[in-house]
């Protein structure tokens, strides 16, 4: 067993350190993520093959741009509050205790907090290589790079 | 986008159908999982690269034998109740809102409900190929097969 230093046995998820960079999106999209706070959880324990984040969405905040992944599977579980799940075909109100999964190449999706109160959820996404993301409602495409994302306009010009 | 039939947009996790086979362990280990109920969640949405389950542990029940994976990373988040996390070095009381991660080849671990009340948690584990599991406290080793696990005694004889 490799030695692991400074890895906690367990933590209170809502107390985990927030990710310092609030959004990877280029301008002007990054600003639309204002208020969203992601707290990486799995990384704190050395989990590598998937990411597990605690996400806080204040009233009016959104999870991400309306998007779908080409490779990554995603799963979310609502911990508190009310969140609207927007997909290609429907809008669905999610309450605490509800969950949803988004297989790669499935419906595009986005979570929006249209309530007047805070909402929190867990999100899980695998880290398989070669991922890309399409945004049906924005002039944006993203491809996975070694240490982040490369964003382009849909005509291929860079941001 | 491939057509996906009968995939729900979202569900109440605690209402998901329980896994019919209560445990994959051979006798006599399977009986030690009595009471534990796993409800696969990600599978209901077509999520493939990792499993996400809702797990119910009644008073006295355990999550699994004390074990570690050679390949699979795991993550758990406690939804309700109190659960004792047993690792190589410590016993830690987990309450709702706490989480823990178990990287492959890390500490062996097991969750035990020593309270008098029901506890529930989410568990996530990747599905990378070639996994095997060691059980430091039992005469058991497991290797991943195409559609399940192959269990042997530590001397290599089959169960």
């Amino acid at each position: 067993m490799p030695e692991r230093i400074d890895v906690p046995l367990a933590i209170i998820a809502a107390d985990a350190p927030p990710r310092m960079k609030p959004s990877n999106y280029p301008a002007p999209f990054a600003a639309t993520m204002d208020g969203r706070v992601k707290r990486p959880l799995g990384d704190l324990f050395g989990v590598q093959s998937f990411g597990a984040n605690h996400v806080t969405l204040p009233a009016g905040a959104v999870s991400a741009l309306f998007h779908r992944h080409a490779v990554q599977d995603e799963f979310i579980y609502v911990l508190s509050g009310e969140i609207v799940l927007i997909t290609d075909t429907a809008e669905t109100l999610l309450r605490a205790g509800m969950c949803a999964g988004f297989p790669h190449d499935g419906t595009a999706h986005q979570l929006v907090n249209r309530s007047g109160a805070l909402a929190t959820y867990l999100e899980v996404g695998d880290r398989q290589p070669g991922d890309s993301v399409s945004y049906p409602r924005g002039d944006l495409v993203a491809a996975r790079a070694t240490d982040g994302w490369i964003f382009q306009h849909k005509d291929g010009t860079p941001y």
Side-chain angles (χ1 to χ4, degrees), chain A:
Chain A
M1 183 170 55
E3 189 177 7
R4 296 178 190 275
I5 298 172
D6 293 337
V7 171
L9 286 170
I11 61 163
I12 298 170
D15 290 348
R19 195 174 72 181
M20 295 308 290
K21 190 176 180 185
S23 167
N24 293 311
Y25 293 125
F29 301 105
T32 63
M33 298 301 118
D34 282 356
R36 183 194 70 180
V37 177
K38 290 199 181 200
R39 301 175 192 276
L41 302 176
D43 293 343
L44 300 178
F45 301 98
V47 167
Q48 296 174 344
S49 63
F50 57 87
N53 300 325
H54 179 282
V55 188
T56 302
L57 285 190
V62 304
S63 64
L65 299 174
F66 187 67
H67 75 285
R68 75 166 58 89
H69 288 266
V71 172
Q72 183 190 66
D73 287 347
E74 297 175 272
F75 176 82
I76 63 107
Y77 180 97
V78 179
L79 297 171
S80 69
E82 296 187 348
I83 302 172
V84 178
L85 165 62
I86 301 174
T87 64
D88 290 333
T89 57
E91 297 196 351
T92 308
L93 182 62
L94 307 184
R95 294 192 170 90
M98 295 183 72
C99 64
F102 308 110
H104 64 279
D105 213 21
T107 181
H109 54 277
Q110 179 187 40
L111 304 174
V112 181
N113 183 350
R114 291 183 183 153
S115 80
L118 205 72
T120 61
Y121 63 96
L122 291 179
E123 64 177 10
V124 178
D126 72 59
R127 290 173 170 167
Q128 297 183 96
D131 196 17
S132 62
V133 188
S134 59
Y135 301 90
R137 298 177 187 172
D139 179 19
L140 192 70
V141 292
R144 189 78 201 175
T146 307
D147 58 349
W149 293 93
I150 296 170
F151 290 96
Q152 294 183 324
H153 295 271
K154 284 181 175 172
D155 68 3
T157 58
Y159 272 94

